[in-house]
Amino acid sequence: MNQTEKTAIYPGSFDPLTNGHLDIIQRALRLFDNVIVAILHNPNKKALFSVEERMAMIRESLPNQKGLKVDAFDGLLVDYAKQKEAVAVIRGMRAISDFENEFQMALMNRRLNRDVQTIFLMTGLRWIFTSSSIIKEVATFGGDITGMVPGPVKQQMTKKFTPAES
């Protein structure tokens, strides 16, 4: 990687990727030369989509996006950031309720590695009530998630939640 380029990591589960996530990714790409969307592999969490499926949906939702990399990791975020020579971690915030947990994580990450800064980006107003959990719940009961997730994600969710014909 070029030493003058600045890399940031946007970590998360992205299960599924939402339009709110896309908003944060696109804004981060305006601030940094490279943004790594990094899916945390957490075997303790029951995910709707596999890590590989999530990575594919992110790539399909942001095709040919200059500076974007999609990856997966496990372990400590600060160790991953050091490995990738990242200078910042991007965190999206929807509401004040997100702040306490995000603030605690940022302070711990800073204690573990002072060279990596945490950058908080407020989500756009239109995405303030959008979360992966709510979208999964709506889709589970057959609700319309159009406009809340990118097209490739909607297609995959429709496949997951459409009952098979007998």
Side-chain angles (χ1 to χ4, degrees):
M1 200 169 311
N2 182 335
Q3 290 297 341
T4 61
E5 290 186 350
K6 300 284 187 212
T7 297
I9 296 172
Y10 181 30
S13 61
F14 306 103
D15 187 41
L17 178 74
T18 70
N19 284 342
H21 292 134
L22 283 184
D23 176 54
I24 298 291
I25 293 166
Q26 290 164 335
R27 290 169 45 215
L29 282 164
R30 290 196 296 266
L31 298 172
F32 294 92
D33 301 298
N34 301 295
V35 173
I36 301 170
V37 177
I39 298 170
L40 173 62
H41 175 67
N42 185 349
N44 299 326
K45 217 173 179 184
K46 176 89 173 87
L48 178 62
F49 295 102
S50 71
V51 170
E52 293 75 18
E53 287 172 320
R54 287 179 266 166
M55 290 174 71
M57 286 186 286
I58 294 167
R59 287 185 184 113
E60 288 172 35
S61 298
L62 291 158
N64 307 315
Q65 186 70 57
K66 185 179 182 321
L68 177 70
K69 295 175 179 58
V70 181
D71 198 10
F73 75 103
D74 51 19
L76 291 175
L77 175 59
V78 291
D79 292 342
Y80 178 75
K82 185 175 183 177
Q83 174 193 345
K84 296 298 181 180
E85 300 179 10
V87 298
V89 170
I90 302 293
R91 298 300 297 163
M93 301 232 306
R94 290 177 301 234
I96 197 72
S97 57
D98 289 342
F99 182 76
E100 187 173 355
N101 185 45
E102 293 293 343
F103 187 65
Q104 287 176 337
M105 285 194 303
L107 289 175
M108 180 55 77
N109 286 338
R110 180 141 173 85
R111 180 182 171 130
L112 295 171
N113 185 343
R114 297 186 76 69
D115 294 330
V116 178
Q117 303 301 314
T118 299
I119 308 292
F120 295 108
L121 292 177
M122 296 305 299
T123 192
L125 278 177
R126 65 189 293 198
W127 312 120
I128 206 150
F129 297 110
T130 304
S131 75
S132 295
S133 306
I134 290 172
I135 289 169
K136 281 190 274 196
E137 189 169 338
V138 168
T140 300
F141 294 107
D144 185 10
I145 56 171
T146 302
M148 292 184 255
V149 296
V153 175
K154 183 179 178 199
Q155 289 173 343
Q156 292 302 317
M157 291 192 75
T158 300
K159 286 181 191 174
K160 287 262 188 202
F161 293 116
T162 301
E165 304 251 344
S166 5

